[in-house]
Amino acid sequence: MLKWKFDNDRSISAQISETIQKGILSGVYPPGSGIPSVRALAVEAGVNPNTMQKALAELEAQGLLHTQRTSGRTVTSDEKLITELRQRMATSYIDAFFQSMMGLGIEPQLAIEMLTSRKTPINPTEVS
Amino acid sequence: MSTILEARQLCKRFGAATALEHVNFSFAPGHIIGLLGPNGSGKTTLIKLVCGLLTPTEGEVLVCGMQPSHQTKSLVSYLPDKLYFDNWMKVRDCLALFADFYQDFDRAKATDMMASLGIDTNKTFRTLSKGTQEKVQLSLVMSRRAQLYLLDEPIGGVDPAARDFILDTIINNYNDQGTVVISTHLISDIERVLDDVVFLFGGRVERMASVDSLREQYGKSVDEVFREVFRC
């Protein structure tokens, strides 16, 4: 099951695409596996089916999803595409991290030092 | 069929008071449309015109290309903003009434929905809370296989958990050819299920856009845009 949560300041379809991308990266939808139907996903996320359709079409255009004539949509088995996606999302998280740190008046160099010297173990249940 | 609901220069006046002024729109099948506006902006008047409960002063409104008539009533499933069942009726009497009245009524679906909402069909209307009465009416209306669903304030009186269930029901139930028009001012609860929104203000269409394009344009939720546009 994916975690569906929507921010107010961006389009819903972009946020749906992102949630499904995370699902692919975190293994909820492994490479080559099938994903639920548009209707089922729309109900799961509590969104309009047309919006869900739009988000899935966007992911198809990126090559992350494929439509099979008989068995609905499947996740790509192209590991290279998935690695690229992971890289891209990781970079945007890192950028956001540095931006937040700058907002606290902490320069990137210091932020990196703080990261590497962090001792508290990371609780995996807190990772979204 | 390309348009399911269309208004052309639609005007409605009550004596000197103008309820709607030169409203134009057209909607394709398979969409969920939010009719949003402050109190007294003409939402209910517009819905009543589509149902044929009111007649236009000027212009016209078309359902599947036809003016509202007995023919369009079989295509339209309407949830009024008022409760209309008599107090002595049991919930199962209402089910029987709908089964008699509407050919497209799916009784099993309505019964299932009421069971999910925990409604006892042996109770009389008088003994139900207002929210439960609304749930009964909405279950009946959503269990028709209609082309056009007109829901006037469907979630106003029900609790948040039931609201989610009702929205899921709307997403699940409406068929691809069907169009749902929901009038409400509880925007934040429903904007995720909408395709398009129509902002009505003083009887005029103030804005008409898709939910995502509004969110992209303003970087805000439709609820926030609404509060900005209609700031008192």
Side-chain angles (χ1 to χ4, degrees):
Chain A
M1 253 319 230
L2 297 173
K3 268 195 201 167
W4 298 100
K5 211 172 135 272
F6 297 100
D7 295 331
N8 283 337
D9 53 355
R10 288 188 302 139
S11 84
I12 294 166
S13 66
Q15 296 184 63
I16 294 172
S17 301
E18 218 166 83
T19 306
I20 295 173
Q21 286 175 339
K22 282 188 204 167
I24 294 171
L25 294 178
S26 66
V28 177
Y29 301 129
S33 69
I35 66 163
S37 69
V38 173
R39 186 63 63 108
L41 280 170
V43 172
E44 192 186 304
V47 300
N48 181 295
N50 295 318
T51 313
M52 180 58 72
Q53 176 72 43
K54 198 175 142 202
L56 294 179
E58 171 57 30
L59 293 172
E60 260 178 38
Q62 292 173 22
L64 290 166
L65 296 179
H66 296 300
T67 303
Q68 309 295 332
R69 200 173 305 163
T70 49
S71 56
R73 284 191 178 78
T74 55
V75 178
T76 182
S77 16
D78 185 344
E79 295 284 352
K80 194 169 150 261
L81 263 181
I82 293 177
T83 312
E84 278 170 16
L85 171 67
R86 178 171 284 121
Q87 205 62 48
R88 205 163 56 236
M89 286 189 92
T91 308
S92 73
Y93 282 152
I94 292 169
D95 291 350
F97 166 76
F98 281 122
Q99 267 160 24
S100 311
M101 291 306 257
M102 292 285 273
L104 302 177
I106 298 171
E107 295 297 317
Q109 196 50 48
L110 181 57
I112 292 168
E113 279 167 33
M114 289 171 79
L115 259 188
T116 46
S117 62
R118 183 184 152 102
K119 293 286 190 294
T120 343
I122 294 165
N123 183 353
T125 59
E126 283 173 11
V127 179
S128 64
Chain B
M1 190 166 306
S2 55
T3 46
I4 194 141
L5 178 60
E6 191 176 2
R8 292 182 193 152
Q9 297 296 332
L10 184 63
C11 297
K12 180 67 187 176
R13 292 185 198 98
F14 297 101
T18 300
L20 287 176
E21 219 174 342
H22 302 289
V23 169
N24 292 289
F25 55 72
S26 100
F27 292 114
H31 280 220
I32 304 180
I33 298 143
L35 192 56
L36 315 176
N39 303 115
S41 55
K43 303 189 292 286
T44 297
T45 302
L46 179 56
I47 287 180
K48 284 186 173 168
L49 284 164
V50 179
C51 292
L53 295 175
L54 295 173
T55 48
T57 312
E58 271 173 51
E60 59 179 0
V61 62
L62 301 172
V63 177
C64 298
M66 294 176 280
Q67 292 197 343
S69 66
H70 63 282
Q71 259 180 319
T72 62
K73 285 185 186 182
S74 66
L75 305 172
V76 175
S77 192
Y78 167 50
L79 180 79
D81 58 346
K82 293 191 181 71
L83 296 159
Y84 60 85
F85 290 117
D86 272 327
N87 264 333
W88 57 266
M89 287 178 88
K90 290 187 170 164
V91 175
R92 57 183 157 86
D93 297 331
C94 306
L95 280 163
L97 183 72
F98 259 65
D100 278 346
F101 242 94
Y102 298 109
Q103 248 181 351
D104 59 358
F105 181 62
D106 185 341
R107 192 171 186 156
K109 196 182 213 173
T111 312
D112 281 354
M113 215 185 290
M114 288 181 187
S116 306
L117 287 165
I119 296 165
D120 179 356
T121 55
N122 284 314
K123 282 197 167 167
T124 56
F125 240 69
R126 181 163 36 86
T127 63
L128 301 175
S129 71
K130 181 163 176 281
T132 308
Q133 293 178 346
E134 289 187 17
K135 287 178 200 171
V136 169
Q137 267 189 199
L138 185 69
S139 306
L140 293 168
V141 166
M142 287 312 292
S143 298
R144 286 184 55 198
R145 276 184 287 262
Q147 302 275 313
L148 179 61
Y149 298 87
L150 299 172
L151 312 177
D152 200 352
E153 290 291 351
I155 56 172
V158 304
D159 59 85
R163 252 172 230 178
D164 284 347
F165 177 83
I166 286 165
L167 293 179
D168 284 353
T169 307
I170 292 171
I171 298 173
N172 250 322
N173 277 23
Y174 94 103
N175 50 65
D176 300 344
Q177 297 309 307
T179 292
V180 185
V181 177
I182 305 176
S183 103
T184 189
H185 32 243
L186 295 168
I187 305 170
S188 59
D189 281 322
I190 66 156
E191 68 173 278
R192 283 181 297 143
V193 310
L194 302 176
D195 287 287
D196 305 300
V197 291
V198 178
F199 282 180
L200 274 182
F201 185 70
R204 289 173 180 276
V205 175
E206 179 82 19
R207 201 155 307 184
M208 188 155 45
S210 82
V211 167
D212 262 4
S213 70
L214 270 183
R215 289 170 71 106
E216 268 164 31
Q217 186 188 340
Y218 287 88
K220 283 182 186 158
S221 67
V222 174
D223 186 49
E224 289 165 322
V225 175
F226 181 92
R227 284 164 202 258
E228 202 175 283
V229 171
F230 297 118
R231 189 177 300 272
C232 294

